[in-house]
Amino acid sequence: MPNFYATTPIYYVNDKPHIGHAYTTVLADVLTRYHKLFGYDAFFMTGVDEHGQKVQKAAAARGISPQEHVDEYSEHFRNLWPKLNIDYGYFIRTTDDYHKKFVRDSLQFLFDKGEIYSKEYEGWYSVGEERFFEESELVDGKDPISGRPVEWLSEKNYFFKMSSYQQKLIDHINANPNWILPDFRKNEVLGFLKKPLNDLCISRPKSRLSWGIPLPFDEDFVTYVWVDALENYISGVQDKKHKDGTPLWPADFHIIGKDILTTHCIYWPTIIMAMGWELPKHILAHGWWMIDGSKMSKTSGTGVNPMDYVETYGVDVFRYFLIREMVVGLDSTFGHDSFVRRINSDLANDLGNGLNRIHKLILTNFGGKIPVPPASAQSGEQEKELLGYSEKATQFAKENMGEAKLSLVVEEILNSVRALNRYLEMTAPWKLAKSTEQKDKDKLATVLYTGAEVLRVALALLSPVMPQKAEKGRLMLGASDSVLKGGETLGEGEALFPRIMEEK
Ligand code: ME8
């Protein structure tokens, strides 16, 4: 059995989760479920990033200790995931003792190996991003990422010799063209690596920031939150194994948003190289959900609460929208109208209609048992063509889930459903049902059998995206897990995908 281990970023607990966090976690869940569907021992880890300035500030603003704050806020994330039908393998918190020990041990190792040195450092510091910027990196004198003001700071700090791994990193990227996905993000990283790489400041003086993991070799400093956070991907699974006994690390996929490309494609791999660990196999950076031209987030006031959509329209429909609408890699706009349009056209019209028609026709014409197709059905050109769509979708899903082209996978599946609806229009089983001729009766059995089989495959292929709805659909169609034989008894009919009637 092949193995699969994916990760999501661990989210800052300075605020409650919003749709961006929901998206990445749903994506990891869907990708993991696709691997399970195709026979992998698949596992994914998510969790929360609990140290650093943002969290310390959030706690101070609430007048409570950072530990009290993170204990409470980590639950907002942990409690959301089951509501989004997310089946993670492990949830990591960076304030857990085993993680802190892992980070301290690794830093001591790097220090002893001569990879870390201290020096007096001066530079422009952004509180929002928790990092120093070069003068040349500032935009209009401000933090180039958040656009917020920066302050001039001078202090002693510890540095990791990141620069000495620059060439090794470039060589790795060139030798493994699929390492960073999509391709244009790889080029962005290579572009960044054309300039000389600086060493990485890995400490914060406790006088300025106390909420962090103390450096093992100098307790007056805490670890820079990114170094602490990135190591979660290994610390969280150090004692876990795949069923065949192999360790989970190295991860197959780090799934991240494009905002944290540099930390994952430069900081993290150079730390790994210095530690002598194995590199992750792929880093997949998706785009942003935007609203009114800005990135959705809590701080920019453009957060959409995913639970509002889940409560109103149901979790599976919400997951479907996220996966179908965003082309992995590119930005997408979250709009209520596009949500309604997408659900009504793909799910209510195409899939829902196809399913209800087939279910009803089998119920009224074959007493609720899927008809056994007559021998002539094997050779029908129309049927071969239609079943070809199902085969294509299955093949496409197997080949493309690896690069997480999930919007395209879903579109291929829906293509098979649309082909089915066209086939129904052409063969008009409701007319065949009225005929007394044997050849029409045979054709009716063929049409309804073939239609049920196409839907069975489509629902199985959609099960990673919509686990509950797909299961209900499977039961409606006789609960078969393999090619229909005919004779399976249908389950109760149900309108699985009601049309959203709202007009704006
Ligand atoms: O960066 N669209 O945490 P974070 C899509 N703790 N995805 C979005 C998004 C949007 N508008 N907004 C956020 C951190 N995300 C660090 C990570 S990992 C070792 C440490 C998602 O809470 C996306 O996955 O700011 C992005 O990379 C992540 O949330 C950032 O979450």
Side-chain angles (χ1 to χ4, degrees), residues 282-294:
H282 301 283
I283 300 159
L284 175 76
H286 65 70
W288 284 340
W289 284 98
M290 312 283 284
I291 193 162
D292 299 332
S294 319

Side-chain angles (χ1 to χ4, degrees), residues 8-14 18-21 23-24 49 54 77 226 229-233 255-260 263-264 286-290 294-297 326:
T8 72
I10 49 171
Y11 307 114
Y12 284 128
V13 288
N14 58 334
H18 59 76
I19 202 164
H21 302 126
Y23 173 70
T24 314
D49 190 354
K54 284 187 189 183
F77 287 85
W226 268 105
L230 288 161
E231 293 199 1
N232 93 86
Y233 297 134
I255 302 170
I256 59 169
K258 66 178 184 182
D259 45 324
I260 53 178
T263 49
H264 282 78
H286 65 70
W288 284 340
W289 284 98
M290 312 283 284
S294 319
K295 178 185 175 218
M296 274 181 156
S297 73
M326 182 172 267

Side-chain angles (χ1 to χ4, degrees), residues 329-346:
L330 306 181
D331 291 346
S332 270
T333 297
F334 192 97
H336 180 73
D337 291 348
S338 56
F339 181 87
V340 172
R341 257 199 313 276
R342 173 62 70 193
I343 298 311
N344 279 347
S345 80
D346 287 10

Side-chain angles (χ1 to χ4, degrees), residues 162-276:
M162 186 160 78
S163 58
S164 60
Y165 291 94
Q166 177 160 11
Q167 193 53 46
K168 204 172 162 192
L169 180 59
I170 295 172
D171 293 345
H172 182 78
I173 296 173
N174 286 328
N176 298 276
N178 286 332
W179 190 55
I180 302 171
L181 295 165
D183 210 42
F184 59 92
R185 295 281 171 228
K186 173 190 80 180
N187 296 334
E188 201 176 306
V189 174
L190 282 173
F192 186 86
L193 286 167
K194 285 204 173 107
K195 286 181 279 177
L197 207 53
N198 292 321
D199 288 342
L200 180 66
C201 178
I202 57 135
S203 63
R204 296 293 180 262
K206 267 194 187 157
S207 52
R208 179 152 68 77
L209 173 70
S210 58
W211 185 236
I213 302 177
L215 291 184
F217 43 82
D218 190 339
E219 300 274 338
D220 289 338
F221 291 82
V222 297
T223 309
Y224 172 41
V225 68
W226 268 105
V227 174
D228 159 359
L230 288 161
E231 293 199 1
N232 93 86
Y233 297 134
I234 302 183
S235 78
V237 295
Q238 55 186 314
D239 59 347
K240 296 182 179 51
K241 298 228 171 358
H242 283 292
K243 289 184 184 128
D244 62 8
T246 49
L248 289 180
W249 189 260
D252 293 273
F253 271 93
H254 283 323
I255 302 170
I256 59 169
K258 66 178 184 182
D259 45 324
I260 53 178
L261 191 68
T262 313
T263 49
H264 282 78
C265 298
I266 296 180
Y267 298 4
W268 180 221
T270 52
I271 294 170
I272 290 178
M273 285 170 177
M275 286 301 302

